[in-house]
Amino acid sequence: ELVSGGSDDTCSHTAASGSIVSGSDPAPGRLAGGGGGGSTPPAATRESGSRFKIRCPFDFTDSRSQTGVAKGTPAQLKADGQTVDLHGLDRVTRHPGLWSFGLLGLGNALLVPSIPTRLWLSMPAMVALIGGSHTDSRHRRGMGGQLCEQVDEVTSNIPFLAMLMGRQDGGVVDSFVALGDEIKVLDGALAAAAAALWVARR
């Protein structure tokens, strides 16, 4: 994957798979792996051979974000181009995948008497905190994704922090009401019941 250009201040993110992205459409035969006619220049051959590269593992987390917070897609902004259109877990944290695993480890850490085991079970939460901040830092610089200023202002890495600080539309109360309307409350209740049953059996 080769993408030209640096980071910008918008929420748009352009990516191409198996092709070279530039300011103008490439000529036939210059696409990596393309079947156009003509000979392929040596420069294009070298570029096509290096389109696969090592990337940060955190770039591949939270890929199911509904508002594109993890992807940096234009769907993040409403028609006015300024208001962020948040939805579901993106209101809670920019990294729900990391924090789901981290909070699961913290919950189990509270159930064991051994201090070393507690520390070991708490490590996923540290990965979510440090790894999430690392990912945000990279995305602010346009590395592995995009995190524009508008989204950065109304979301947070730490779960519920942006909501509790009233940084989303409508303040604290309205943001939690909106979250309740956007998620499946029944699924959350079933998950909470299963967790309570697990704790009660310990």
Side-chain angles (χ1 to χ4, degrees), residues 7-82:
S7 60
D8 50 35
D9 295 331
T10 65
C11 288
S12 62
H13 178 57
T14 305
S17 177
S19 63
I20 302 172
V21 179
S22 62
S24 60
D25 294 332
R30 293 182 65 86
L31 290 175
S39 59
T40 302
T45 303
R46 290 194 298 270
E47 288 177 338
S48 63
S50 62
R51 59 178 176 164
F52 298 105
K53 59 184 178 181
I54 298 175
R55 298 179 60 184
C56 176
F58 293 106
D59 290 344
F60 299 95
T61 61
D62 309 321
S63 60
R64 299 179 65 85
S65 171
Q66 296 189 48
T67 55
V69 169
K71 296 181 180 179
T73 62
Q76 292 173 296
L77 301 183
K78 295 182 179 179
D80 58 11
Q82 295 295 326

Side-chain angles (χ1 to χ4, degrees), residues 101-169:
F101 189 51
L103 293 177
L104 178 64
L106 281 180
N108 282 277
L110 297 175
L111 299 177
V112 296
S114 171
I115 293 180
T117 304
R118 286 185 177 183
L119 293 175
W120 181 72
L121 290 172
S122 300
M123 287 301 103
M126 294 298 297
V127 171
L129 179 62
I130 299 174
S133 298
H134 169 69
T135 300
D136 292 340
S137 175
R138 284 168 50 84
H139 287 186
R140 289 187 186 102
R141 293 174 286 160
M143 301 172 60
Q146 294 287 334
L147 178 58
C148 62
E149 184 178 353
Q150 296 97 320
V151 176
D152 199 4
E153 288 178 352
V154 298
T155 58
S156 61
N157 175 28
I158 300 176
F160 297 105
L161 180 61
M163 299 177 68
L164 292 174
M165 294 180 65
R167 286 155 51 181
Q168 298 177 7
D169 288 344

Side-chain angles (χ1 to χ4, degrees), residues 76-94:
Q76 292 173 296
L77 301 183
K78 295 182 179 179
D80 58 11
Q82 295 295 326
T83 307
V84 179
D85 188 14
L86 290 176
H87 183 87
L89 288 179
D90 291 332
R91 293 183 178 276
V92 180
T93 173
R94 287 191 288 265

